[in-house]
Amino acid sequence: DSEKNIDGKYTDVEYGHNVFVRKWTNFTQNGIAKATQSSEYSHGKASLAIDNNTNPSRRNRSVTHTKKGKNNEWQVDLGDEYPISKIEIFNRWESNKNKDLGRLRYFSVYIDDAIVKTIGNEQKTNFVIDMEPPRKGRIVKIKHNNFNTWLSLAEVKVWGAPIEQFSAVKKIETFKDPINGDGTPEVF
């Protein structure tokens, strides 16, 4: 049996041991993140990619949409610098999945001005970019690489541990979990 104490840790009631619980945050939902894009087409506002709605349908007005062109881009300014561990990009698709999925290909993902991943001719409903160790940054950008089409995104999530937890986690490399009793180290 465990109880959550005031600082977010779980305390084992029987033995009184503290257990570290890692909390992840989607930084696009921090209340200050602002999204922009190179152009807007047919109600496809940039902010729709950070509305916490992964619905892939443009008909539901839940996806971004730029005008057709080369090097279209979308970005989110998180409002502050954060340690970014993962970026999830949810693609737009409707009834013609093959056509719609083809719009989000040949692109690069940036943190600030550094490319963290380049995608070629992959057609997926979503892309996940993991970073270990986390990269600190403020602006996450998705940019077509000389690809002449529209840019449409259902949602972009930028994950990491809050700064105060990130600092503490980096100091703890291993510890023995007193609850499971097997003595195996947990690595963070």
Side-chain angles (χ1 to χ4, degrees), residues 120-174:
N121 191 23
E122 294 181 52
Q123 296 184 31
K124 295 179 168 184
T125 56
N126 67 312
F127 296 86
V128 177
I129 299 149
D130 289 306
M131 284 158 283
E132 185 58 44
R135 295 188 185 195
K136 282 191 178 180
R138 177 180 178 143
I139 296 178
V140 174
K141 182 187 329 184
I142 298 166
K143 183 177 180 181
H144 273 141
N145 296 324
N146 204 30
F147 186 50
N148 191 24
T149 192
W150 301 268
L151 179 59
S152 265
L153 304 167
E155 189 72 17
V156 177
K157 296 184 179 191
V158 180
W159 295 98
I163 293 288
E164 57 278 354
Q165 284 190 352
F166 179 76
S167 299
V169 169
K170 293 311 282 182
K171 293 176 187 171
I172 302 170
E173 295 196 11
T174 64

Short mmCIF file of all heavy atoms in Angstrom, two decimals, residues 120-174:
data_model
loop_
_atom_site.label_atom_id
_atom_site.label_comp_id
_atom_site.label_asym_id
_atom_site.label_seq_id
_atom_site.Cartn_x
_atom_site.Cartn_y
_atom_site.Cartn_z
N GLY A 120 12.39 11.22 -44.24
CA GLY A 120 12.34 11.16 -45.69
C GLY A 120 10.94 10.83 -46.19
O GLY A 120 9.96 11.44 -45.79
N ASN A 121 10.85 9.80 -46.99
CA ASN A 121 9.59 9.42 -47.65
C ASN A 121 8.78 8.45 -46.78
O ASN A 121 8.24 7.48 -47.28
CB ASN A 121 9.88 8.83 -49.02
CG ASN A 121 8.62 8.67 -49.86
OD1 ASN A 121 7.63 9.35 -49.63
ND2 ASN A 121 8.67 7.78 -50.81
N GLU A 122 8.72 8.69 -45.49
CA GLU A 122 7.92 7.86 -44.58
C GLU A 122 6.51 8.42 -44.50
O GLU A 122 6.34 9.62 -44.40
CB GLU A 122 8.52 7.85 -43.18
CG GLU A 122 9.88 7.18 -43.08
CD GLU A 122 10.38 7.21 -41.65
OE1 GLU A 122 9.64 6.80 -40.73
OE2 GLU A 122 11.52 7.66 -41.45
N GLN A 123 5.53 7.53 -44.52
CA GLN A 123 4.14 7.96 -44.39
C GLN A 123 3.55 7.25 -43.19
O GLN A 123 3.32 6.05 -43.22
CB GLN A 123 3.37 7.65 -45.66
CG GLN A 123 3.88 8.43 -46.86
CD GLN A 123 3.04 8.20 -48.09
OE1 GLN A 123 1.85 7.97 -48.00
NE2 GLN A 123 3.67 8.25 -49.25
N LYS A 124 3.32 8.02 -42.12
CA LYS A 124 2.83 7.45 -40.86
C LYS A 124 1.71 8.33 -40.30
O LYS A 124 1.63 9.51 -40.60
CB LYS A 124 3.95 7.43 -39.81
CG LYS A 124 5.11 6.53 -40.11
CD LYS A 124 6.10 6.67 -38.97
CE LYS A 124 7.17 5.63 -38.98
NZ LYS A 124 8.04 5.76 -37.79
N THR A 125 0.91 7.74 -39.41
CA THR A 125 -0.10 8.52 -38.72
C THR A 125 0.52 9.37 -37.62
O THR A 125 -0.01 10.42 -37.29
CB THR A 125 -1.20 7.62 -38.11
OG1 THR A 125 -0.59 6.66 -37.25
CG2 THR A 125 -2.00 6.93 -39.19
N ASN A 126 1.64 8.93 -37.05
CA ASN A 126 2.36 9.76 -36.10
C ASN A 126 3.84 9.38 -36.08
O ASN A 126 4.22 8.28 -36.44
CB ASN A 126 1.75 9.71 -34.70
CG ASN A 126 1.87 8.36 -34.04
OD1 ASN A 126 1.58 7.34 -34.63
ND2 ASN A 126 2.33 8.35 -32.80
N PHE A 127 4.64 10.35 -35.68
CA PHE A 127 6.08 10.19 -35.58
C PHE A 127 6.49 10.46 -34.14
O PHE A 127 5.97 11.40 -33.52
CB PHE A 127 6.81 11.20 -36.49
CG PHE A 127 6.53 11.01 -37.95
CD1 PHE A 127 5.43 11.60 -38.55
CD2 PHE A 127 7.38 10.25 -38.74
CE1 PHE A 127 5.16 11.43 -39.90
CE2 PHE A 127 7.13 10.08 -40.10
CZ PHE A 127 6.02 10.67 -40.67
N VAL A 128 7.43 9.65 -33.61
CA VAL A 128 7.93 9.85 -32.25
C VAL A 128 9.44 10.01 -32.34
O VAL A 128 10.13 9.16 -32.92
CB VAL A 128 7.57 8.65 -31.34
CG1 VAL A 128 8.17 8.86 -29.94
CG2 VAL A 128 6.07 8.48 -31.26
N ILE A 129 9.93 11.09 -31.78
CA ILE A 129 11.36 11.37 -31.77
C ILE A 129 11.82 11.38 -30.32
O ILE A 129 11.43 12.25 -29.54
CB ILE A 129 11.66 12.72 -32.46
CG1 ILE A 129 11.18 12.66 -33.91
CG2 ILE A 129 13.13 13.06 -32.38
CD1 ILE A 129 10.73 13.95 -34.46
N ASP A 130 12.61 10.38 -29.95
CA ASP A 130 13.14 10.26 -28.58
C ASP A 130 14.53 10.87 -28.53
O ASP A 130 15.32 10.69 -29.46
CB ASP A 130 13.22 8.80 -28.15
CG ASP A 130 11.84 8.20 -27.92
OD1 ASP A 130 11.08 8.79 -27.15
OD2 ASP A 130 11.54 7.16 -28.53
N MET A 131 14.83 11.55 -27.44
CA MET A 131 16.15 12.14 -27.25
C MET A 131 16.72 11.73 -25.91
O MET A 131 16.10 11.96 -24.87
CB MET A 131 16.06 13.66 -27.34
CG MET A 131 15.92 14.11 -28.77
SD MET A 131 15.19 15.72 -28.90
CE MET A 131 13.48 15.33 -28.62
N GLU A 132 17.86 11.09 -25.93
CA GLU A 132 18.55 10.70 -24.71
C GLU A 132 20.02 11.02 -24.90
O GLU A 132 20.64 10.47 -25.81
CB GLU A 132 18.34 9.22 -24.43
CG GLU A 132 18.91 8.74 -23.12
CD GLU A 132 18.36 9.47 -21.90
OE1 GLU A 132 17.16 9.70 -21.79
OE2 GLU A 132 19.19 9.83 -21.05
N PRO A 133 20.58 11.92 -24.15
CA PRO A 133 19.97 12.66 -23.07
C PRO A 133 19.02 13.73 -23.61
O PRO A 133 19.08 14.08 -24.79
CB PRO A 133 21.17 13.31 -22.37
CG PRO A 133 22.18 13.49 -23.44
CD PRO A 133 21.99 12.31 -24.36
N PRO A 134 18.17 14.26 -22.74
CA PRO A 134 17.26 15.33 -23.18
C PRO A 134 18.03 16.53 -23.70
O PRO A 134 19.16 16.78 -23.29
CB PRO A 134 16.50 15.69 -21.90
CG PRO A 134 16.61 14.48 -21.04
CD PRO A 134 17.94 13.89 -21.35
N ARG A 135 17.42 17.27 -24.60
CA ARG A 135 18.02 18.49 -25.15
C ARG A 135 17.24 19.70 -24.65
O ARG A 135 16.03 19.72 -24.76
CB ARG A 135 17.98 18.48 -26.67
CG ARG A 135 18.82 17.40 -27.26
CD ARG A 135 18.88 17.57 -28.73
NE ARG A 135 19.59 16.45 -29.30
CZ ARG A 135 20.07 16.43 -30.51
NH1 ARG A 135 19.89 17.45 -31.31
NH2 ARG A 135 20.71 15.37 -30.95
N LYS A 136 17.96 20.66 -24.13
CA LYS A 136 17.30 21.88 -23.68
C LYS A 136 16.98 22.74 -24.89
O LYS A 136 17.77 22.86 -25.82
CB LYS A 136 18.19 22.65 -22.71
CG LYS A 136 18.19 22.07 -21.33
CD LYS A 136 18.84 23.00 -20.34
CE LYS A 136 18.78 22.42 -18.95
NZ LYS A 136 19.41 23.31 -17.98
N GLY A 137 15.78 23.33 -24.86
CA GLY A 137 15.39 24.20 -25.95
C GLY A 137 14.10 24.91 -25.66
O GLY A 137 13.34 24.53 -24.75
N ARG A 138 13.81 25.91 -26.47
CA ARG A 138 12.61 26.72 -26.31
C ARG A 138 11.69 26.61 -27.52
O ARG A 138 10.48 26.62 -27.38
CB ARG A 138 13.03 28.18 -26.10
CG ARG A 138 11.86 29.12 -26.01
CD ARG A 138 12.31 30.55 -25.80
NE ARG A 138 11.14 31.41 -25.77
CZ ARG A 138 11.02 32.45 -24.99
NH1 ARG A 138 11.99 32.79 -24.17
NH2 ARG A 138 9.92 33.18 -25.03
N ILE A 139 12.27 26.50 -28.72
CA ILE A 139 11.46 26.49 -29.94
C ILE A 139 11.60 25.14 -30.63
O ILE A 139 12.71 24.67 -30.88
CB ILE A 139 11.88 27.63 -30.88
CG1 ILE A 139 11.57 28.96 -30.20
CG2 ILE A 139 11.17 27.51 -32.23
CD1 ILE A 139 11.94 30.19 -30.94
N VAL A 140 10.46 24.52 -30.91
CA VAL A 140 10.42 23.27 -31.67
C VAL A 140 9.79 23.60 -33.02
O VAL A 140 8.71 24.18 -33.07
CB VAL A 140 9.61 22.18 -30.94
CG1 VAL A 140 9.45 20.95 -31.80
CG2 VAL A 140 10.28 21.84 -29.61
N LYS A 141 10.50 23.24 -34.09
CA LYS A 141 10.05 23.58 -35.44
C LYS A 141 9.97 22.33 -36.31
O LYS A 141 10.82 21.44 -36.21
CB LYS A 141 11.01 24.57 -36.08
CG LYS A 141 10.59 25.02 -37.47
CD LYS A 141 11.58 25.88 -38.23
CE LYS A 141 12.46 26.76 -37.45
NZ LYS A 141 13.33 27.61 -38.28
N ILE A 142 8.94 22.28 -37.15
CA ILE A 142 8.79 21.23 -38.16
C ILE A 142 8.80 21.95 -39.50
O ILE A 142 8.00 22.87 -39.72
CB ILE A 142 7.47 20.47 -37.95
CG1 ILE A 142 7.50 19.77 -36.58
CG2 ILE A 142 7.23 19.48 -39.08
CD1 ILE A 142 6.16 19.28 -36.11
N LYS A 143 9.73 21.56 -40.38
CA LYS A 143 9.91 22.28 -41.65
C LYS A 143 10.07 21.31 -42.80
O LYS A 143 10.90 20.39 -42.74
CB LYS A 143 11.13 23.19 -41.56
CG LYS A 143 11.35 24.02 -42.80
CD LYS A 143 12.53 24.95 -42.62
CE LYS A 143 12.73 25.77 -43.88
NZ LYS A 143 13.88 26.66 -43.75
N HIS A 144 9.27 21.51 -43.85
CA HIS A 144 9.44 20.71 -45.07
C HIS A 144 10.81 21.01 -45.68
O HIS A 144 11.27 22.15 -45.65
CB HIS A 144 8.36 21.07 -46.10
CG HIS A 144 7.11 20.28 -45.95
ND1 HIS A 144 5.87 20.83 -46.12
CD2 HIS A 144 6.88 18.98 -45.65
CE1 HIS A 144 4.94 19.91 -45.94
NE2 HIS A 144 5.54 18.78 -45.64
N ASN A 145 11.43 20.00 -46.26
CA ASN A 145 12.73 20.14 -46.90
C ASN A 145 12.55 20.23 -48.41
O ASN A 145 12.62 19.23 -49.12
CB ASN A 145 13.64 18.96 -46.54
CG ASN A 145 13.93 18.92 -45.07
OD1 ASN A 145 14.08 19.95 -44.42
ND2 ASN A 145 14.00 17.73 -44.50
N ASN A 146 12.28 21.45 -48.90
CA ASN A 146 12.13 21.70 -50.33
C ASN A 146 11.07 20.80 -50.96
O ASN A 146 11.22 20.30 -52.06
CB ASN A 146 13.48 21.54 -51.04
CG ASN A 146 13.53 22.33 -52.33
OD1 ASN A 146 12.88 23.36 -52.47
ND2 ASN A 146 14.30 21.84 -53.28
N PHE A 147 10.01 20.55 -50.23
CA PHE A 147 8.93 19.66 -50.65
C PHE A 147 7.71 20.53 -50.90
O PHE A 147 7.22 21.21 -50.00
CB PHE A 147 8.67 18.62 -49.57
CG PHE A 147 7.67 17.55 -49.93
CD1 PHE A 147 7.76 16.86 -51.12
CD2 PHE A 147 6.64 17.25 -49.06
CE1 PHE A 147 6.84 15.87 -51.44
CE2 PHE A 147 5.72 16.26 -49.36
CZ PHE A 147 5.82 15.58 -50.56
N ASN A 148 7.20 20.54 -52.13
CA ASN A 148 6.14 21.45 -52.55
C ASN A 148 4.76 20.86 -52.26
O ASN A 148 4.19 20.15 -53.07
CB ASN A 148 6.29 21.76 -54.04
CG ASN A 148 5.38 22.90 -54.48
OD1 ASN A 148 4.99 23.73 -53.67
ND2 ASN A 148 5.05 22.92 -55.74
N THR A 149 4.24 21.15 -51.07
CA THR A 149 2.92 20.67 -50.68
C THR A 149 2.42 21.50 -49.50
O THR A 149 3.05 22.46 -49.09
CB THR A 149 2.94 19.16 -50.34
OG1 THR A 149 1.59 18.69 -50.23
CG2 THR A 149 3.71 18.88 -49.07
N TRP A 150 1.30 21.10 -48.94
CA TRP A 150 0.74 21.72 -47.75
C TRP A 150 1.38 21.08 -46.52
O TRP A 150 1.84 19.94 -46.57
CB TRP A 150 -0.76 21.49 -47.67
CG TRP A 150 -1.52 22.03 -48.83
CD1 TRP A 150 -2.09 23.27 -48.93
CD2 TRP A 150 -1.83 21.35 -50.06
NE1 TRP A 150 -2.72 23.40 -50.14
CE2 TRP A 150 -2.57 22.24 -50.86
CE3 TRP A 150 -1.54 20.09 -50.57
CZ2 TRP A 150 -3.04 21.91 -52.12
CZ3 TRP A 150 -1.98 19.76 -51.83
CH2 TRP A 150 -2.72 20.66 -52.58
N LEU A 151 1.36 21.79 -45.42
CA LEU A 151 1.78 21.22 -44.14
C LEU A 151 0.56 21.21 -43.23
O LEU A 151 -0.03 22.26 -42.96
CB LEU A 151 2.91 22.05 -43.51
CG LEU A 151 3.44 21.58 -42.15
CD1 LEU A 151 3.98 20.16 -42.22
CD2 LEU A 151 4.50 22.53 -41.63
N SER A 152 0.15 20.02 -42.82
CA SER A 152 -1.00 19.84 -41.94
C SER A 152 -0.61 18.95 -40.78
O SER A 152 -0.08 17.86 -40.98
CB SER A 152 -2.14 19.15 -42.70
OG SER A 152 -3.04 20.09 -43.20
N LEU A 153 -0.89 19.41 -39.56
CA LEU A 153 -0.55 18.66 -38.35
C LEU A 153 -1.79 18.56 -37.47
O LEU A 153 -2.49 19.54 -37.26
CB LEU A 153 0.54 19.39 -37.57
CG LEU A 153 1.84 19.70 -38.31
CD1 LEU A 153 2.69 20.68 -37.52
CD2 LEU A 153 2.59 18.42 -38.59
N ALA A 154 -2.03 17.36 -36.94
CA ALA A 154 -3.15 17.19 -36.00
C ALA A 154 -2.75 17.65 -34.60
O ALA A 154 -3.52 18.31 -33.92
CB ALA A 154 -3.61 15.74 -35.97
N GLU A 155 -1.55 17.30 -34.18
CA GLU A 155 -1.09 17.67 -32.83
C GLU A 155 0.42 17.49 -32.74
O GLU A 155 0.99 16.62 -33.40
CB GLU A 155 -1.76 16.79 -31.77
CG GLU A 155 -1.54 17.21 -30.34
CD GLU A 155 -2.31 18.47 -29.96
OE1 GLU A 155 -3.26 18.87 -30.66
OE2 GLU A 155 -1.94 19.08 -28.94
N VAL A 156 1.06 18.31 -31.91
CA VAL A 156 2.48 18.17 -31.59
C VAL A 156 2.59 18.22 -30.08
O VAL A 156 2.09 19.16 -29.44
CB VAL A 156 3.34 19.27 -32.24
CG1 VAL A 156 4.80 19.13 -31.82
CG2 VAL A 156 3.21 19.24 -33.77
N LYS A 157 3.23 17.20 -29.50
CA LYS A 157 3.45 17.16 -28.06
C LYS A 157 4.96 17.14 -27.81
O LYS A 157 5.69 16.39 -28.44
CB LYS A 157 2.79 15.92 -27.45
CG LYS A 157 1.28 15.94 -27.59
CD LYS A 157 0.63 14.77 -26.90
CE LYS A 157 -0.89 14.87 -27.05
NZ LYS A 157 -1.58 13.92 -26.19
N VAL A 158 5.38 17.99 -26.89
CA VAL A 158 6.79 18.12 -26.55
C VAL A 158 6.94 17.72 -25.09
O VAL A 158 6.48 18.43 -24.19
CB VAL A 158 7.28 19.57 -26.78
CG1 VAL A 158 8.75 19.71 -26.42
CG2 VAL A 158 7.03 19.99 -28.24
N TRP A 159 7.56 16.57 -24.85
CA TRP A 159 7.60 15.96 -23.52
C TRP A 159 8.95 16.11 -22.84
O TRP A 159 9.99 16.06 -23.48
CB TRP A 159 7.30 14.47 -23.62
CG TRP A 159 5.92 14.16 -24.08
CD1 TRP A 159 5.55 13.83 -25.36
CD2 TRP A 159 4.73 14.12 -23.30
NE1 TRP A 159 4.19 13.59 -25.41
CE2 TRP A 159 3.66 13.76 -24.16
CE3 TRP A 159 4.45 14.35 -21.96
CZ2 TRP A 159 2.35 13.63 -23.73
CZ3 TRP A 159 3.15 14.21 -21.52
CH2 TRP A 159 2.11 13.86 -22.40
N GLY A 160 8.91 16.22 -21.52
CA GLY A 160 10.12 16.21 -20.71
C GLY A 160 9.76 16.33 -19.25
O GLY A 160 8.60 16.47 -18.89
N ALA A 161 10.77 16.28 -18.41
CA ALA A 161 10.57 16.49 -16.97
C ALA A 161 10.69 17.98 -16.71
O ALA A 161 11.49 18.65 -17.33
CB ALA A 161 11.62 15.73 -16.18
N PRO A 162 9.88 18.51 -15.80
CA PRO A 162 10.02 19.93 -15.45
C PRO A 162 11.45 20.22 -15.01
O PRO A 162 12.13 19.35 -14.49
CB PRO A 162 9.04 20.12 -14.31
CG PRO A 162 8.04 19.03 -14.48
CD PRO A 162 8.81 17.87 -15.05
N ILE A 163 11.90 21.45 -15.22
CA ILE A 163 13.29 21.84 -14.94
C ILE A 163 13.73 21.43 -13.55
O ILE A 163 14.79 20.85 -13.37
CB ILE A 163 13.46 23.38 -15.10
CG1 ILE A 163 13.29 23.79 -16.56
CG2 ILE A 163 14.81 23.85 -14.57
CD1 ILE A 163 14.41 23.41 -17.47
N GLU A 164 12.91 21.70 -12.53
CA GLU A 164 13.34 21.38 -11.16
C GLU A 164 13.52 19.88 -10.97
O GLU A 164 14.42 19.43 -10.29
CB GLU A 164 12.38 21.97 -10.11
CG GLU A 164 10.93 21.55 -10.24
CD GLU A 164 10.13 22.36 -11.27
OE1 GLU A 164 10.64 23.32 -11.84
OE2 GLU A 164 8.97 21.98 -11.51
N GLN A 165 12.68 19.06 -11.61
CA GLN A 165 12.85 17.61 -11.51
C GLN A 165 14.02 17.15 -12.37
O GLN A 165 14.75 16.26 -12.00
CB GLN A 165 11.58 16.88 -11.95
CG GLN A 165 10.50 16.93 -10.94
CD GLN A 165 9.36 16.01 -11.30
OE1 GLN A 165 9.31 15.44 -12.38
NE2 GLN A 165 8.44 15.85 -10.37
N PHE A 166 14.22 17.79 -13.52
CA PHE A 166 15.31 17.42 -14.41
C PHE A 166 16.64 17.58 -13.69
O PHE A 166 17.50 16.72 -13.75
CB PHE A 166 15.27 18.28 -15.68
CG PHE A 166 16.37 17.98 -16.65
CD1 PHE A 166 16.30 16.84 -17.43
CD2 PHE A 166 17.45 18.82 -16.78
CE1 PHE A 166 17.31 16.55 -18.34
CE2 PHE A 166 18.45 18.54 -17.69
CZ PHE A 166 18.39 17.41 -18.47
N SER A 167 16.82 18.69 -12.99
CA SER A 167 18.07 18.93 -12.26
C SER A 167 18.31 17.85 -11.22
O SER A 167 19.42 17.36 -11.08
CB SER A 167 18.02 20.29 -11.58
OG SER A 167 17.86 21.30 -12.55
N ALA A 168 17.27 17.49 -10.50
CA ALA A 168 17.42 16.46 -9.46
C ALA A 168 17.68 15.09 -10.06
O ALA A 168 18.51 14.33 -9.57
CB ALA A 168 16.17 16.41 -8.60
N VAL A 169 17.00 14.76 -11.16
CA VAL A 169 17.16 13.45 -11.78
C VAL A 169 18.57 13.27 -12.30
O VAL A 169 19.16 12.20 -12.18
CB VAL A 169 16.13 13.26 -12.92
CG1 VAL A 169 16.45 12.02 -13.74
CG2 VAL A 169 14.73 13.15 -12.35
N LYS A 170 19.17 14.30 -12.87
CA LYS A 170 20.51 14.17 -13.42
C LYS A 170 21.54 13.88 -12.33
O LYS A 170 22.58 13.32 -12.60
CB LYS A 170 20.91 15.44 -14.20
CG LYS A 170 20.09 15.66 -15.47
CD LYS A 170 19.99 14.45 -16.34
CE LYS A 170 21.21 14.20 -17.16
NZ LYS A 170 21.11 13.06 -18.05
N LYS A 171 21.27 14.28 -11.09
CA LYS A 171 22.20 14.03 -9.99
C LYS A 171 22.10 12.59 -9.48
O LYS A 171 23.02 12.09 -8.89
CB LYS A 171 21.93 15.01 -8.85
CG LYS A 171 22.26 16.44 -9.22
CD LYS A 171 21.88 17.37 -8.09
CE LYS A 171 22.06 18.81 -8.54
NZ LYS A 171 21.52 19.75 -7.58
N ILE A 172 20.96 11.95 -9.69
CA ILE A 172 20.75 10.58 -9.22
C ILE A 172 21.00 9.64 -10.38
O ILE A 172 20.23 9.60 -11.32
CB ILE A 172 19.31 10.37 -8.72
CG1 ILE A 172 18.98 11.36 -7.60
CG2 ILE A 172 19.09 8.93 -8.27
CD1 ILE A 172 17.51 11.38 -7.24
N GLU A 173 22.09 8.90 -10.37
CA GLU A 173 22.36 8.00 -11.47
C GLU A 173 21.78 6.62 -11.20
O GLU A 173 21.19 6.01 -12.07
CB GLU A 173 23.85 7.94 -11.74
CG GLU A 173 24.36 9.29 -12.21
CD GLU A 173 25.71 9.19 -12.86
OE1 GLU A 173 26.17 8.08 -13.14
OE2 GLU A 173 26.29 10.25 -13.07
N THR A 174 21.97 6.10 -10.01
CA THR A 174 21.38 4.81 -9.67
C THR A 174 20.98 4.82 -8.20
O THR A 174 21.51 5.59 -7.41
CB THR A 174 22.38 3.64 -9.88
OG1 THR A 174 23.47 3.82 -9.00
CG2 THR A 174 22.85 3.55 -11.32
#
